[in-house]
Amino acid sequence: MTQSVVVQVGQCGNQIGCCFWDLALREHAAVNQKGIYDDALSSFFRNVDTRVAGDGSSISKGRISSLKARAVLIDMEEGVVNEILQGPLRDVFDSKQLITDISGSGNNWAVGHRVFGSLYREQILEKLRKSAEHCDCLQCFFIIHSMGGGTGSGLGTFLLKVLEDEFPEVYRFVTAVFPSSEDDVITSPYNSMLAMKELNEHADCVLPIDNQSLFDIISKIDLVVNSGKLSTAVKPKSLVTSNVGAVKKRHTKPFDAMNNIVANLLLSLTSSARFEGSLNMDLNEISMNLVPFPQLHYLVSSLTPLYTLADVNIPPRRLDQMFSDAFSKDHQLIQADPRHSLYLACALIVRGNVQISDLRRNIERLKPALQFVSWNQEGWKTSLCSVPPVGHSHSLLALANNTCVKPTFMELRERFMRLYKKKAHLHHYLHVDGMEEGAFADALSSLSALIQEYNDLDATKGVPVQDVPRLSVAL
């Protein structure tokens, strides 16, 4: 059984991480009701046996004694980590696996990457090595961070390079939360642009998440639930969106529900590694099958359904709707429309009461409406896990390597240029030791080259495979 380590960086990374561990424990508790430490639990938890008999031998006999998350928590402001340590999950985290400071990164990538990166490099390495030592077969590091803040973008991407150098054979999967266009951090375009260069160079797979898309999804769910149209079919408390139906103050963003969607994305992504199913998909298969070119490793995700249906017997119509929703622009976790863009590959990770025949039927039904690159017309990867999310009878995570991610990067470049042309706030970065203005030009060049790769792919739509020009993707 393989194991993975979750590295939570910055306020956003730690808040999502907290939701992830809460839901993971609920999920395993629903399956493993006898409290036995098994292979499924070992993928993200280790069993620390604190009870010892008089002769020094263990007395737990395979039962859970004290579960500890395979996690490293990093934040240069200690507030969120302290909240976690004072909350209901406090006993799940090893206090030796935390790194905090009190000053924060001041929404400055350079401070997070260069100042705190240099200051805490050895401590970070020590804790990563300790996490690896507790694994029998370490397969993946999951890094969760935001792109707009200083610690998440700066220290989060510094960590990527450390992992690549220290654990070159271990996969690096990144969940990166991109700021919305209405983000209140004025320097977020700088931070996101500088972070993108590091993601391009040092990540194996990146799952970009857009704050605005999450907020829109939660708003739509609230509208449906509160309208009464599905009142007899929808349970008011879904573990996917924990505060569905709750009364919210005006202008307050439902961050808990938004974070829960991202946490469920990670749970579904790793479901085959944790539970049995008729068609398993390992994490290495995602990287091998969905990333045909090393730099084009950005996977657009969608998760359905996002509210809990009360019925147990699933009509085929509703199951088919779940597959259709996964490809609609309203269900993507970034602002994207994969149906009208070009697929390099697509993975469908299905959980719960779904048969292989259902999966094949829906792929055949959807294929005519989807455009795949000419050299990978059958670029589907599928997984069936028998254990659904808690409170659901079935769910679907779709991962698309699709050129529809390009507008997100183009918008980021435009927002960056609006600031950079005026040299606005640039001095805050250049005052940091070792930071030069050339770093901004390099980051812009890196993102522009990535956008051009997607442009080259889009230009091959409808072109016979023998006439497709070779892509100049850097190895």
Side-chain angles (χ1 to χ4, degrees), residues 213-379:
S213 294
L214 295 177
F215 181 61
D216 290 346
I217 288 170
I218 296 299
S219 299
K220 287 169 189 170
I221 293 171
D222 284 347
L223 191 63
V224 170
V225 173
N226 294 329
S227 69
K229 291 179 181 177
L230 292 175
S231 58
T232 59
V234 178
K235 295 179 181 178
K237 291 184 179 178
S238 167
L239 286 182
V240 179
T241 53
S242 59
N243 56 353
V244 166
V247 178
K248 303 182 186 70
K249 295 179 181 177
R250 200 173 181 183
H251 304 308
T252 300
K253 289 193 175 183
F255 286 113
D256 284 346
M258 292 163 67
N259 291 338
N260 270 2
I261 291 178
V262 184
N264 272 276
L265 158 64
L266 295 173
L267 286 171
S268 290
L269 182 67
T270 60
S271 58
S272 279
R274 295 180 296 126
F275 302 117
E276 292 183 352
S278 56
L279 201 60
N280 282 336
M281 183 193 300
D282 208 357
L283 291 171
N284 66 331
E285 294 180 81
I286 293 174
S287 181
M288 288 171 58
N289 289 275
L290 265 65
V291 184
F293 304 108
Q295 201 170 16
L296 304 184
H297 52 236
Y298 295 87
L299 306 181
V300 178
S301 54
S302 63
L303 196 63
T304 60
L306 286 169
Y307 46 78
T308 308
L309 297 170
D311 59 343
V312 177
N313 298 316
I314 317 158
R317 179 181 55 80
R318 181 166 290 155
L319 193 59
D320 290 357
Q321 188 61 48
M322 178 181 78
F323 281 88
S324 297
D325 288 345
F327 291 88
S328 74
K329 64 178 182 179
D330 292 338
H331 283 73
Q332 307 305 313
L333 302 191
I334 66 166
Q335 303 280 306
D337 187 357
R339 275 182 176 269
H340 294 94
S341 301
L342 191 64
Y343 280 87
L344 281 74
C346 183
L348 301 178
I349 301 173
V350 186
R351 302 183 61 183
N353 184 20
V354 181
Q355 306 302 314
I356 292 178
S357 57
D358 296 320
L359 188 54
R360 289 173 178 163
R361 183 184 76 251
N362 276 284
I363 288 177
E364 291 304 315
R365 179 176 64 87
L366 292 163
K367 272 172 65 174
L370 306 175
Q371 301 180 73
F372 274 73
V373 287
S374 56
W375 40 264
N376 198 25
Q377 288 289 306
E378 301 299 322

